[in-house]
Amino acid sequence: ALEDRSCLRVGSHAKLPRAMLLRSSSLPALSRTARRALSGSCCPPGALPALAADEDRDLDGQVIQLDDVNHYVVAAEGTARGGLIVAYDVFGFSGGRIKSVCDSFAKCGFNVIMPDVYTGTEINGFGGLDGFMSGAEETVGWISAQNPAKYMPMLEGCKAFLAGEMGSANVGGFGLCWGAVPVFHAAGAGIIRAGVSAHPSLQAAGFYGEPGQPGEFAAKTGKCPMLLLPAQEDSLDDYGEEGAVTAAVRDLGFACVSHPFPEMHHGFVARGDTSDAATARDVETALQISADFFAEHL
C-alpha cells in the first residue's frame, strides 16, 4: 500500500476540464538560435503522452482573468506557508493532471496561481512532440512565440496577485519540462525566492536567444535555491547532484539539490498514469519533497 501522505491526494483518475485550442494566425520567423535549439528540444524521446482531459473532476480552484489571460487559482488549506507560481509543460493549461498538481500544493498549505502562458493553445495543435523531433516549422514557431516577453509580465502579475490578493509575499516557482525555463527566468529577475523543476528542459531556453546548454543558462539565471527532479531521460550530467545546472546554481551562492526519479519517464508528474502504483508513488514523492523544499526556503 502507498504511504498515506496527509497533504497530497493525486487521484489515479484525476480529470481536468477541456480548454479550447486557439491557433495563432501569425507565428514568428524561425531564428538560427531557435533552429539550433531543436537539437535539445523541450521534451526528450520517451516523454509520456498527455493524459486525456476530462470534465468530470471537481477542481478545488477556479479560473480567473488577469490582464485578459486565464489563470488557475487555488487557495491554501489552513494558514498559508507562501505562494507558488506554477509553469506548466508544453501540453498547456489543461494538460494531464496539471490542475491536480496545483490543488495538491494548496492542500500542502500554499496559495497557488498558474497563468495560461500559451493563451489557450498547446503543442498538439502545432505538430505535437513529433513536430519537435522532426523540426516542423509550425512547432518551433509556436514554442518560439511563448517567449520571455510574453510570460515575464504574467509572472510579475502572478507575484503581485499572490501578495496583494492572497497575502503571500514570499513566492516560489514550480515548473514542469518547458516550465523550468520561466522558473529560472523568474529566479534571475528576483520574482521568486525558491524554485523546483520537475523533469526540467532548460535546453528550451535556446528558443529565446539564451544559451542552449542547461548549465550555461542556469549560470545566468539560477539566483535562488533550486530543487531538480530529473526523470530517466533527463541528463544527470546536467540535472544530477554533480550536474552542470546544480553546480551553476551553487556557484551563484544558492542551495541546489537533485532528486532523480530513475524509474519514471519525462513528464510523469503531471502526465504519468497514476493508476500504476510506482508512478503514483513517485508523483506523490515528487510533490511532497517539493512542498517540503518550498516550506524550507519561502
Side-chain angles (χ1 to χ4, degrees):
L2 292 175
E3 180 183 352
D4 181 15
R5 299 172 185 264
S6 59
C7 75
L8 296 177
R9 293 291 183 271
V10 186
S12 61
H13 301 288
K15 301 168 183 176
L16 303 174
R18 298 185 182 278
M20 179 176 64
L21 295 181
L22 303 177
R23 285 174 170 77
S24 172
S25 60
S26 60
L27 293 173
L30 301 185
S31 66
R32 293 180 181 177
T33 301
R35 291 186 181 278
R36 285 198 299 270
L38 280 170
S39 63
S41 64
C42 194
C43 289
L48 299 172
L51 300 179
D54 195 311
E55 297 177 352
D56 295 338
R57 182 178 180 270
D58 291 330
L59 298 169
D60 297 333
Q62 60 182 325
V63 175
I64 67 169
Q65 282 206 331
L66 299 175
D67 295 325
D68 298 322
V69 174
N70 284 337
H71 292 66
Y72 183 70
V73 177
V74 56
E77 288 192 1
T79 302
R81 300 197 283 179
L84 297 182
I85 302 170
V86 172
Y88 50 49
D89 64 16
V90 291
F91 294 95
F93 200 58
S94 294
R97 292 171 286 97
I98 190 61
K99 293 185 179 72
S100 290
V101 169
C102 296
D103 290 353
S104 296
F105 281 124
K107 290 182 184 298
C108 289
F110 298 94
N111 290 318
V112 182
I113 185 168
M114 179 177 68
D116 185 12
V117 174
Y118 301 163
T119 54
T121 67
E122 51 102 358
I123 194 172
N124 281 329
F126 297 90
L129 294 183
D130 288 343
F132 268 139
M133 299 305 113
S134 66
E137 284 204 17
E138 66 169 345
T139 311
V140 181
W142 171 77
I143 197 66
S144 298
Q146 317 308 323
N147 54 51
K150 182 179 183 183
Y151 63 68
M152 289 300 284
M154 296 184 194
L155 301 182
E156 291 278 11
C158 287
K159 180 178 181 178
F161 183 87
L162 287 167
E165 302 297 326
M166 305 188 81
S168 293
N170 294 338
V171 175
F174 184 82
L176 304 93
C177 181
W178 170 89
V181 176
V183 165
F184 270 74
H185 268 141
I191 296 172
I192 61 173
R193 296 169 59 105
V196 177
S197 296
H199 24 83
S201 292
L202 293 183
Q203 62 270 26
F207 289 110
Y208 312 124
E210 297 281 10
Q213 294 298 318
E216 294 179 21
F217 177 61
K220 289 183 61 178
T221 58
K223 298 178 181 179
C224 72
M226 294 287 187
L227 171 63
L228 308 174
L229 308 175
Q232 64 176 253
E233 293 88 2
D234 304 314
S235 172
L236 295 184
D237 288 340
D238 290 320
Y239 304 113
E241 188 62 21
E242 304 300 324
V245 172
T246 313
V249 175
R250 291 173 179 168
D251 286 346
L252 290 171
F254 300 97
C256 190
V257 179
S258 174
H259 186 113
F261 288 85
E263 296 180 32
M264 294 294 106
H265 288 292
H266 183 93
F268 78 97
V269 171
R271 294 184 280 117
D273 179 6
T274 52
S275 65
D276 172 71
T279 302
R281 174 202 66 202
D282 281 1
V283 168
E284 290 201 359
T285 298
L287 295 179
Q288 185 67 65
I289 63 176
S290 297
D292 291 344
F293 186 82
F294 285 128
E296 178 182 357
H297 292 286
L298 293 186

